[in-house]
Every structure is written in C-alpha cells, then in structure tokens.
Amino acid sequence: ARSANNELRRLTEFLPDLNGLSTGPGRQAALAMAAYRAGLCVSANLVTGGFDTHSDHDNRQGTALGRLTDGLNEIWEEAERQGVAEKIVVMVGSDFGRTPGYNEGNGKDHWPITSVLLMGAGIEGNRVIGLTDDDHRPMRINPTTLAADEAGVIIKPIHIQRSLRKFAGIQTSELEASYPLVGDDLPLLG
C-alpha cells in the first residue's frame, strides 16, 4: 500500500470534474482516462445495465440503449477534453444477446448470438462484419473477404479476442503465450 502512495498522488493530478457527467459509463471512463494519463492503467472495463429484459422488452431496451448512447457520447467528449481521443479504442459488447421472438411477458430471453461494436483510433469504421439468418442464427463468412460464404466460418469470441490481441500488438508477447487462444485469425479490425 505504501508503494502505491506515489501512484495515487499522480492520479490526483489528472482527476477530472465528474459533476458534468451524467452517465455511469461517462464517469467510469473519465476516471479510467485519468488513470491512463497518470500511467496507472492501459485498459478499463466499464459497466452499464438494463439490458436483461425478460419482460417489457421494447420499452426497457429503448431506455437502456439511450443510456448506452449517451454514455458513449460522454466517453468521447471526455476523451477529447482529456486529450486522449486519438489513443483510445472503445469496445461495446455483451456476454449474450436476446431471443428473436418474444416470451409471454413481451420480453426476450437469453440468446447465444450477440454483437460487438468497436470504435476509436486505428479501427476501420463504417463496416458490419458477420450476419444472421431470418431466425437470428449465425451465418458463415469467408475468412479472408468476410463476405457471406456457406463454406466459411462462424465468428466466435475467440476470433474477436485474437483480433484484439493482434491489434494491440501483444499476439507474440510472453503474456499472450501464458494465455494462448488457439484458432484462426480473421481480419476483423482492418
């Protein structure tokens, strides 16, 4: 704890005013960016909720999506304010999606198909990779072109993680060797 005193003192130099931030993700990101600027972290896991909509799905999802987009706006505004917008990548994801149909409570239950959104420095934008059929089941894509291809592969979390490691430049690091991800690489991030 004593050795962390100097690190925490450095953090206080960069702490932002959180009063102007109205969302949980915006506040969390402001603190994470201050810790980054102080040399204390290189990544953060931000959390927002309200997406587990087993009832009244349409109203509750709309509210949750509004909070998420407001939070993303605050994250980018704060990144600009703190001078780190050109250095960060934001990934939005979930551990599962929602069923394509409604249950008896006008809700949607857990579904193994979900989406991931990436934005920021070095991410090729304005693209959608992957697709589902009318029953919201994953369709195969060509591992090179990423176009629909019945003989291709289904995007799985391992593909996203391998792409993130490559993007971060740690795919051949000692740390990566301690936690190997065996699988194919897909050109997901450009």
Side-chain angles (χ1 to χ4, degrees), residues 91-131:
M91 177 177 163
V92 179
S94 177
D95 50 349
F96 54 82
R98 308 311 298 174
T99 53
Y102 293 90
N103 63 25
E104 62 281 348
N106 286 323
K108 293 190 173 198
D109 298 317
H110 299 179
W111 189 251
I113 311 304
T114 190
S115 301
V116 172
L117 169 70
L118 285 146
M119 62 184 90
I123 301 294
E124 184 179 336
N126 299 318
R127 303 187 311 154
V128 174
I129 300 171
L131 59 160

Side-chain angles (χ1 to χ4, degrees), residues 34-78:
Y36 168 75
R37 292 175 59 217
L40 301 177
C41 79
V42 295
S43 68
N45 186 32
L46 312 180
V47 179
T48 188
F51 290 95
D52 203 12
T53 53
H54 294 282
S55 63
D56 195 24
H57 172 80
D58 292 350
N59 290 322
R60 293 177 60 205
Q61 279 288 312
T63 300
L65 286 169
R67 277 194 315 271
L68 176 63
T69 55
D70 289 347
L72 287 170
N73 285 334
E74 280 193 352
I75 288 169
W76 287 109
E77 288 168 4
E78 183 64 19

Side-chain angles (χ1 to χ4, degrees), residues 8-9 21 28 39 49 55 100 104 117-118 121 125 130 165 167 178 184:
L8 290 175
R9 193 170 295 120
L21 299 169
Q28 294 168 54
S55 63
E104 62 281 348
L117 169 70
L118 285 146
R165 288 180 180 191
F167 180 80
S178 298
D184 297 322

Side-chain angles (χ1 to χ4, degrees), residues 20 25 34 59 73 88 107 132 162 166 172:
N59 290 322
N73 285 334
I88 68 169
T132 59
R162 287 179 61 88
K166 184 175 182 179
T172 58

Side-chain angles (χ1 to χ4, degrees), residues 1-22:
R2 288 181 195 258
S3 66
N5 273 347
N6 287 335
E7 291 175 352
L8 290 175
R9 193 170 295 120
R10 278 199 322 266
L11 177 59
T12 62
E13 297 172 26
F14 299 100
L15 283 176
D17 177 10
L18 299 179
N19 290 325
L21 299 169
S22 62

